[in-house]
Amino acid sequence: VRGTEMQTVDLALDYDVAFTFTPKALVGEWANIIHVSATGSNCCNYGDRVPAVWFYANTYRLHIRDGQVSNGNDGCDPTEQLVADTATTVKLEIRENGLEVFYDGVSKCTGTRGERTVHNNARVFMPDDWHAAANGIIDDFYIKNV
């Protein structure tokens, strides 16, 4: 349900975000799955998206933003799309100097990062209230400092 807020979380410099997602239908606009915001805002200052994950409009291709101090909307977008009615485990390994995205344990994209900071009491939305909700089933969601 759009705008569903979960428990806040403290984010270290290094952490993992993971979930299993089964897409059920395409959405004709940006479709949000999760959005973690240390600022409570959508975009585009550092901390607004730490991380946030959407589908591009009318696709099952993920748009993943994480940010850094010099670019609050930095990210990594895998070219491979998820498959309709098929569960895929998506894992984001967010590190002080980089981001790597995995589908079912296979690396799909990487990005280097500049300066990052810790974030306390970051708000977790599944999905956020700024975008349409992705049409599908999310399961096994976690955020873990490493």
Side-chain angles (χ1 to χ4, degrees):
V1 174
R2 187 175 167 176
T4 301
E5 189 166 355
M6 312 305 278
Q7 180 178 338
T8 61
V9 63
D10 293 336
L11 301 173
L13 287 177
D14 299 331
Y15 57 98
D16 295 338
V17 176
F19 56 92
T20 300
F21 198 82
T22 306
K24 291 297 185 180
L26 296 173
V27 176
E29 56 189 300
W30 290 109
N32 186 251
I33 299 171
I34 64 164
H35 191 142
V36 182
S37 177
T39 64
S41 296
N42 173 34
C43 185
C44 286
N45 294 309
Y46 178 53
D48 292 347
R49 299 172 169 182
V50 288
V53 180
W54 299 262
F55 285 121
Y56 282 89
N58 293 310
T59 75
Y60 293 133
R61 181 175 181 221
L62 293 182
H63 179 63
I64 301 167
R65 304 290 92 183
D66 176 54
Q68 58 180 303
V69 172
S70 64
N71 180 358
N73 200 37
D74 204 358
C76 175
D77 294 354
T79 56
E80 184 178 327
Q81 295 189 42
L82 302 189
V83 178
D85 297 314
T86 302
T88 302
T89 299
V90 177
K91 182 177 182 185
L92 315 178
E93 290 186 354
I94 300 167
R95 301 296 182 262
E96 183 175 2
N97 296 313
L99 164 68
E100 188 165 7
V101 178
F102 297 86
Y103 292 174
D104 294 327
V106 178
S107 180
K108 297 299 176 178
C109 78
T110 59
T112 57
R113 292 289 175 269
E115 183 181 357
R116 295 178 46 82
T117 61
V118 299
H119 298 287
N120 293 319
N121 295 310
R123 297 171 71 184
V124 179
F125 299 93
M126 292 180 13
D128 69 30
D129 199 30
W130 298 290
H131 304 90
N135 189 330
I137 300 167
I138 191 167
D139 200 5
D140 302 323
F141 172 80
Y142 68 85
I143 298 175
K144 178 177 74 171
N145 291 319
V146 294

